[in-house]
Amino acid sequence: MAQTFESLKKYPETSEEMVQKAIQQAAEIVKGNLGDFTESFQSPNTENGFYWPTENVEWTTGFWTGVVWLAYELTKDEAFRKTGEIHVESFLNRIEKKIDVNYHDMGFLYSLSCVAAYKLCGSEKGKKAAIMAADHLLTRYREKGEFIQAWGNVGDPKDYRLIIDCLLNLPLLYWATEVTGNSEYADKACRHIHTAMQCVLREDHSTYHTYYIDPDTGKPSYGVTHQGNRNGSAWARGQAWGVYGVALSYRYQQKPEYIQMFRDVTDYFIEHLPEDLIPYWDFDFDTGSTEPRDSSSSAIVICGIYEMLPHLEKEEAEKYRMAADKMLCALIEKCAVKDKKESNGLLLHGTYARSSEENTCKNRGVDECNTWGDYFYLEALRRRQGKWNPYW
Ligand code: GLY
């Protein structure tokens, strides 16, 4: 265990000025990117510090659109809104034509692009696309086991599993219930989080990345990793998806048991932070390791903590606020891009995937920016500024 809430007290905190400067630097980079990434999207990660243009494919394009909407909120610059609206057209086309959507990541894609457009600008196209995406996500719900199947063809026994990342896709379903009045979306989201947390949360409060369900009985079978170092280790980003995912479900459902889950997964994350507060990509590694970091996991956890603060008693809220603030300060000081010649991203030192003996990944986006790291970093800065109505 590398840290405690007590040991965090020695680290510097953010100031209003530091946060304003960080927002300004980020907004400038985002503005500079609009030329390359309005008719196109950003690649999931940078290579040698730079994103390149892609089609609207993969699970990651919503993050760039989310960054654009955040920049619009922060600056009121109409150029961001125009880009956001062009992206909404693209996302509507994508879900209508079912382009590269045979997986669970509909919330990552549609909450940050289309729900955001609906909430910020009343976009009816955004609302339509997001409800279609929620309907599509429901088709992955499996009655046998009561969970949303992450990948592969639905029902296929070899892909009959859930993953912790999916908790971030549930707000799309809760939102769909709110706007349509159809409780099926939220009911299935609640069933999924119940199954998922029973499976992935270990006794020491670390988490499995993925968990297989027996397709015949619906009973949990066994956990394996996909992107972590070992089946039994805690992949930093998986743990982070747990933190924010539980907090977001609490926001919609207010189930008291989610508060304890939040404490469990968040404390594990915080206690395993290394000396400089920038997490390694897996908690098998600690201070002094030469393994790469995953700054994005820290940004995700900060947002999860901010989301949960209003629901905690004063003393406990202060403890978590302090932790989030120290982590944000470390990101600003050690990972934020400060010169656009260095990178066209916002947050350095992320890791998309790192190969290991027990996982099935190839190295991808190692020690680079990634679009979700950028998004959650900017969301964290926005949340640090004051009350925010989430796109989630
Ligand atoms: N949801 C996939 C990832 O976090 O890499």
Side-chain angles (χ1 to χ4, degrees):
M1 218 185 272
Q3 300 287 353
T4 61
F5 283 93
E6 195 52 40
S7 72
L8 286 184
K9 288 184 179 160
K10 68 175 184 279
Y11 291 91
E13 294 216 347
T14 62
S15 63
E16 304 296 326
E17 201 190 343
M18 175 193 264
V19 171
Q20 268 319 317
K21 194 166 165 213
I23 287 173
Q24 198 187 330
Q25 275 166 339
E28 271 170 30
I29 293 171
V30 179
K31 182 90 191 259
N33 281 340
L34 292 184
D36 285 340
F37 304 106
T38 289
E39 300 302 330
S40 298
F41 289 80
Q42 290 185 330
S43 50
N45 54 272
T46 58
E47 260 178 35
N48 299 318
F50 287 84
Y51 292 108
W52 64 95
T54 69
E55 300 288 306
N56 190 354
V57 289
E58 299 202 46
W59 66 280
T60 52
T61 45
F63 296 115
W64 163 237
T65 308
V67 162
V68 169
W69 284 128
L70 283 170
Y72 173 59
E73 269 197 77
L74 286 160
T75 63
K76 303 285 175 269
D77 183 335
E78 285 294 312
F80 294 120
R81 179 181 169 136
K82 281 193 191 127
T83 293
E85 282 171 353
I86 290 169
H87 286 191
V88 167
E89 296 276 356
S90 171
F91 277 103
L92 178 58
N93 180 59
R94 180 170 174 178
I95 195 67
E96 280 177 340
K97 299 202 175 126
K98 302 281 185 289
I99 299 167
D100 193 25
V101 289
N102 193 25
Y103 41 78
H104 69 122
D105 293 303
M106 295 306 110
F108 285 124
L109 290 169
Y110 283 86
S111 294
L112 304 183
S113 58
C114 294
V115 175
Y118 175 64
K119 288 188 177 177
L120 291 176
C121 311
S123 166
E124 285 301 320
K125 271 186 198 159
K127 181 181 175 189
K128 178 179 168 191
I131 292 171
M132 287 179 77
D135 286 334
H136 182 64
L137 182 55
L138 277 195
T139 65
R140 303 195 69 82
Y141 182 80
R142 302 292 84 204
E143 290 295 347
K144 237 334 142 27
E146 302 193 329
F147 72 101
I148 295 168
Q149 187 186 319
W151 302 312
N153 292 329
V154 280
D156 187 338
K158 79 171 171 10
D159 284 320
Y160 213 73
R161 65 170 149 171
L162 56 84
I163 70 171
I164 193 165
D165 320 30
C166 189
L167 299 189
L168 274 282
N169 294 317
L170 304 184
L172 180 68
L173 299 179
Y174 300 130
W175 170 84
T177 284
E178 279 186 359
V179 293
T180 65
N182 177 354
S183 60
E184 188 188 353
Y185 301 102
D187 286 350
K188 289 187 170 162
C190 285
R191 285 174 203 275
H192 174 87
I193 187 172
H194 180 75
T195 307
M197 291 311 284
Q198 277 198 328
C199 290
V200 301
L201 190 56
R202 302 184 186 116
E203 263 185 31
D204 67 353
H205 305 148
S206 66
T207 50
Y208 284 106
H209 181 195
T210 89
Y211 215 93
Y212 280 99
I213 307 291
D214 184 320
D216 296 320
T217 64
K219 297 238 157 39
S221 287
Y222 60 98
V224 294
T225 199
H226 174 60
Q227 279 157 280
N229 189 45
R230 289 179 298 117
N231 291 331
S233 71
W235 175 47
R237 196 157 65 254
Q239 192 78 19
W241 294 138
V243 172
Y244 201 4
V246 167
L248 286 167
S249 274
Y250 186 80
R251 174 161 157 257
Y252 283 96
Q253 298 301 325
Q254 311 268 307
K255 292 197 178 172
E257 64 267 29
Y258 296 167
I259 295 191
Q260 190 53 44
M261 283 177 198
F262 168 82
R263 292 185 187 117
D264 292 344
V265 289
T266 307
D267 291 3
Y268 186 95
F269 191 97
I270 288 170
E271 286 163 4
H272 289 78
L273 286 170
E275 195 55 38
D276 62 7
L277 303 188
I278 309 298
Y280 287 89
W281 68 280
D282 189 289
F283 289 122
D284 268 355
F285 310 109
D286 204 343
T287 306
S289 169
T290 55
E291 285 293 313
R293 313 303 183 106
D294 182 23
S295 55
S296 74
S297 61
S298 185
I300 295 162
V301 167
I302 295 164
C303 293
I305 292 176
Y306 282 140
E307 176 62 44
M308 204 64 178
L309 289 183
H311 308 297
L312 301 174
E313 294 294 335
K314 202 168 161 214
E315 204 174 308
E316 188 174 36
E318 176 49 28
K319 180 180 94 168
Y320 284 106
R321 186 212 60 77
M322 181 269 297
D325 193 66
K326 309 278 185 182
M327 288 162 69
L328 182 59
C329 190
L331 287 185
I332 295 172
E333 286 185 339
K334 295 170 189 140
C335 300
V337 174
K338 299 189 175 76
D339 180 351
K340 57 186 182 221
K341 286 199 222 72
E342 178 187 24
S343 171
N344 62 357
L346 305 182
L347 192 71
L348 301 165
H349 309 309
T351 292
Y352 185 162
R354 174 82 164 152
S355 97
S356 77
E357 275 173 25
E358 273 188 47
N359 74 24
T360 49
C361 297
K362 293 195 167 71
N363 282 336
R364 186 174 183 188
V366 173
D367 197 15
E368 294 281 352
C369 300
N370 50 57
T371 49
W372 56 94
D374 289 0
Y375 171 79
F376 288 103
Y377 171 62
L378 198 55
E379 184 188 305
L381 291 172
R382 174 65 191 84
R383 283 180 177 273
R384 166 66 179 77
Q385 248 198 347
K387 209 164 149 40
W388 179 63
N389 182 23
Y391 309 154
W392 300 101

